[in-house]
């Protein structure tokens, strides 16, 4: 049981692409969330449409959440792909 743990640690230590994919995914997630909150904090409709400001803000916030999660999961999928490729490279075909 310990062998698989050290195998994962070894591959992560040598695989720069996997490391970058993980870091970019996490950073992208937080940056999209922060940017979305920044944009939506200053969002305000005027005139007769001002009643819809909160509803539209919620819809846009959900879209920013989906974009952030899409960035996170797609970069994690890339990290898994790079991990498998480097595992084959380091430990042979298995």
């Amino acid at each position: 049981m310990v062998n698989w743990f050290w195998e994962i640690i070894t591959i992560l230590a040598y695989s720069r692409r996997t490391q970058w994919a993980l870091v970019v995914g996490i950073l992208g997630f937080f940056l999209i969330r922060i940017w979305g909150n920044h944009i939506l904090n200053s969002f305000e409709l005027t005139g007769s449409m001002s009643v819809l400001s909160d509803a539209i803000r919620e819809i846009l916030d959900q879209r920013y959440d989906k974009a952030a999660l899409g960035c996170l999961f797609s970069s994690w999928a890339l990290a898994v792909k790079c991990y498998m490729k480097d595992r084959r490279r380091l430990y042979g075909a298995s």
Side-chain angles (χ1 to χ4, degrees):
M1 185 166 183
V2 175
N3 288 337
W4 64 267
F5 175 74
W6 289 112
E7 180 181 325
I8 291 171
I9 296 298
T10 303
I11 293 170
L12 285 177
Y14 286 109
S15 176
R16 297 288 180 214
R17 293 179 295 181
T18 305
Q19 293 171 2
W20 274 107
L22 290 171
V23 169
V24 166
I26 293 169
L27 282 177
F29 175 78
F30 285 113
L31 289 176
I32 290 172
R33 295 289 310 260
I34 290 169
W35 184 61
N37 284 336
H38 174 70
I39 295 296
L40 292 177
N41 282 339
S42 62
F43 178 77
E44 186 176 328
L45 295 175
T46 58
S48 62
M49 300 296 280
S50 63
V51 233
L52 297 176
S53 290
D54 290 334
I56 293 174
R57 190 177 294 126
E58 281 186 32
I59 291 170
L60 291 176
D61 188 40
Q62 289 175 357
R63 292 202 180 195
Y64 279 116
D65 287 343
K66 287 179 184 179
L69 286 173
C71 176
L72 182 68
F73 291 142
S74 66
S75 66
W76 281 358
L78 175 65
V80 167
K81 182 179 176 182
C82 292
Y83 173 84
M84 297 305 276
K85 185 181 280 188
D86 288 332
R87 183 174 181 265
R88 275 182 256 131
R89 180 177 57 91
L90 291 173
Y91 285 107
S94 61

